[in-house]
Amino acid sequence: MDAALGEEVRLVEAARRGDGRAFASLVAPHLERAFRVAARATGSPALAEDVVQEALVVLHRDLHRYQPGTSLRAFLLGITLRAAVTWRRSERRRTARELATHLDDPFASPDQAVEARELAAQLQVALDALPERRRQAALLRFDGGLDHADIAAALGTTEQAARQLVYEATKALRAALGPPTEMSHVH
Amino acid sequence: MSTDRDIETAFELSTPRAGPAVERLGRFAAALGSSRSAAAGIVNLDAEVAAWFEATAVCASSATLARLESGASLPAGIGAPRRLVRWPWALGAGASALLIAVWLTVPASAPTPAVASAERVDPQVAAPLLAVAADGVRSNAAAWMPFGALVAYDDVLNPGALPGDEGGPTGEAGATGADGLADSEELLGSEELLGSEETSVAAAIGLALLHGEEIDTNPTLALP
């Protein structure tokens, strides 16, 4: 057992015993990716935090199912995607006022904000047009930073199928967004 | 993956800033991982939901909740306004309790409602209180200040207690019984009332019912 795996095993065991710091240490490296996936999956940075909270609750409950040495990120992001789907379904209940009150500007700088927001909207439209599995594969690949094996684990499919899903999604997104030169001005 | 670089770039450039949210999520994880027993003592909820409550509270307004527990008045500006934290859907059909944790708006000078320590919500009590709360919100929503509160309703201990509740979590958005907003909607009589303040008031009343010393239906205690 290498040192990293040994440390993960220790943290998982401690978290299962109710050690909050251990649980936080386990998930900390993956929270930003989970947030990105949730934000894109829901189309709302405001909702993303709640989705990830929910995913953490499920992860904590199901930690006994996690096998150390496999990908905790894939495990968490798979849960996050499923939680996001549920939240999207129930989103009609939320009033626009609730969202408007609490949204920070989600982008890094004012200079980037307008163009980034436009690009985000364009990308969101393109993603929403994808079949669900391709969309999820794209989120896991580009927001989640997973490789094909981990995408397969998160989606419960084979690595080859995951590779194909990412390929098809990428092709469709590229067609929707246009050639790279049209996006480079956002820099 | 070099052929994907243009799409990677598009994702990177359009990624929302996650920093503060990630920090809060880290605190949430720490609280979630360690807080079950303590939380369960607060409202006698299912352990998972209790953990959710406490972790959310820690993220959002532990000071406020402590004040609520002690029955103290609330100073202005506690915590930051935050949207409704809605049902923990992911707890699924196995979850034995229903919970709403919310950010609630009340006047800074208002006393915390003094209400009952009952562990179960009595619909005969809850319905008129919620109606009163809705009236109060309609008349003076803008004057309210943020703080956190919680309503919890144990669907296993007390199935069917609220109008519209059919006795068990279904895990499906919008279904009566699984959805506290559906319950509140029934109690408040109109979906259009279910803005953040209205739902929050419903939550506050629920919290009061769960935590207070006595039930006081005088609306001036809870509302401006």
Side-chain angles (χ1 to χ4, degrees):
Chain A
M1 184 184 293
D2 64 28
L5 178 57
E7 175 65 2
E8 186 178 52
V9 168
R10 186 188 71 75
L11 289 173
V12 168
E13 289 176 351
R16 286 173 181 161
R17 290 194 303 268
D19 183 335
R21 286 186 181 180
F23 184 67
S25 297
L26 267 178
V27 300
H30 313 302
L31 290 178
E32 183 166 351
R33 290 292 190 175
F35 180 85
R36 284 179 58 168
V37 167
R40 198 88 63 182
T42 59
S44 164
L47 276 181
E49 191 173 342
D50 286 347
V51 167
V52 178
Q53 280 189 5
E54 195 160 288
L56 289 171
V57 171
V58 175
L59 175 66
H60 188 260
R61 184 191 66 193
D62 292 350
L63 201 54
H64 63 281
R65 289 177 42 217
Y66 173 66
Q67 183 68 42
T70 60
S71 172
L72 184 66
R73 177 174 297 181
F75 195 59
L76 174 61
L77 296 189
I79 296 169
T80 301
L81 270 180
R82 289 188 288 278
V85 168
T86 304
W87 279 70
R88 280 187 74 148
R89 284 189 195 134
S90 61
E91 175 55 12
R92 59 191 166 81
R93 286 192 168 279
R94 184 185 294 276
T95 64
R97 174 179 50 176
E98 285 174 330
L99 274 178
T101 301
H102 303 296
L103 265 177
D104 295 328
D105 183 346
F107 295 103
S109 73
D111 291 343
Q112 289 183 334
V114 173
E115 289 172 308
R117 194 172 285 114
E118 287 174 359
L119 179 57
Q122 198 179 357
L123 187 55
Q124 195 71 50
V125 169
L127 284 166
D128 287 345
L130 293 177
E132 183 67 21
R133 296 281 279 181
R134 288 182 196 174
R135 191 169 72 90
Q136 292 183 340
L139 298 188
L140 292 171
R141 172 71 192 96
F142 298 115
D143 279 325
L146 299 186
D147 61 23
H148 293 118
D150 285 346
I151 293 170
L155 294 180
T157 188
T158 66
E159 184 172 345
Q160 181 57 36
R163 188 181 300 276
Q164 186 66 23
L165 287 168
V166 171
Y167 171 77
E168 296 290 351
T170 304
K171 191 169 72 170
L173 292 174
R174 187 174 288 123
L177 294 176
T181 51
E182 291 184 14
M183 292 185 288
S184 60
H185 70 284
V186 180
H187 281 290
Chain B
M1 279 294 165
S2 59
T3 56
D4 295 343
R5 190 163 298 283
D6 55 333
I7 300 300
E8 287 178 2
T9 300
F11 273 81
E12 286 294 334
L13 291 173
S14 61
T15 295
R17 177 164 44 99
V22 168
E23 288 177 17
R24 287 192 294 272
L25 287 166
R27 291 199 298 275
F28 178 88
L32 175 68
S34 62
S35 65
R36 290 175 175 236
S37 58
I42 296 174
V43 287
N44 192 25
L45 288 174
D46 175 278
E48 286 173 347
V49 179
W52 176 278
F53 154 58
E54 184 169 328
T56 303
V58 168
C59 276
S61 71
S62 56
T64 294
L65 284 158
R67 288 173 181 276
L68 286 170
E69 290 296 312
S70 68
S73 297
L74 293 165
I78 290 179
R82 191 165 184 275
R83 65 197 171 282
L84 181 67
V85 178
R86 294 176 300 176
W87 293 115
W89 300 111
L91 296 178
S96 64
L98 302 176
L99 171 148
I100 304 172
V102 298
W103 282 112
L104 177 64
T105 54
V106 296
S109 58
T112 302
V115 270
S117 57
E119 293 177 352
R120 303 178 181 190
V121 177
D122 180 349
Q124 300 302 316
V125 174
L129 284 175
L130 290 170
V132 166
D135 285 338
V137 167
R138 276 194 214 100
S139 64
N140 199 4
W144 293 37
M145 296 291 290
F147 79 105
L150 171 141
V151 63
Y153 167 53
D154 191 324
D155 197 43
V156 166
L157 287 176
N158 199 21
L162 292 176
D165 190 307
E166 296 177 350
T170 68
E172 186 63 34
T176 54
D179 187 338
L181 297 188
D183 293 333
S184 300
E185 190 176 308
E186 295 256 349
L187 288 167
L188 293 169
S190 168
E191 186 166 10
E192 70 183 27
L193 292 177
L194 286 177
S196 57
E197 294 89 354
E198 294 85 353
T199 311
S200 299
V201 169
I205 299 300
L207 176 71
L209 287 166
L210 287 163
H211 291 276
E213 295 301 323
E214 63 183 67
I215 297 172
D216 191 329
T217 56
N218 181 350
T220 60
L221 273 180
L223 299 163

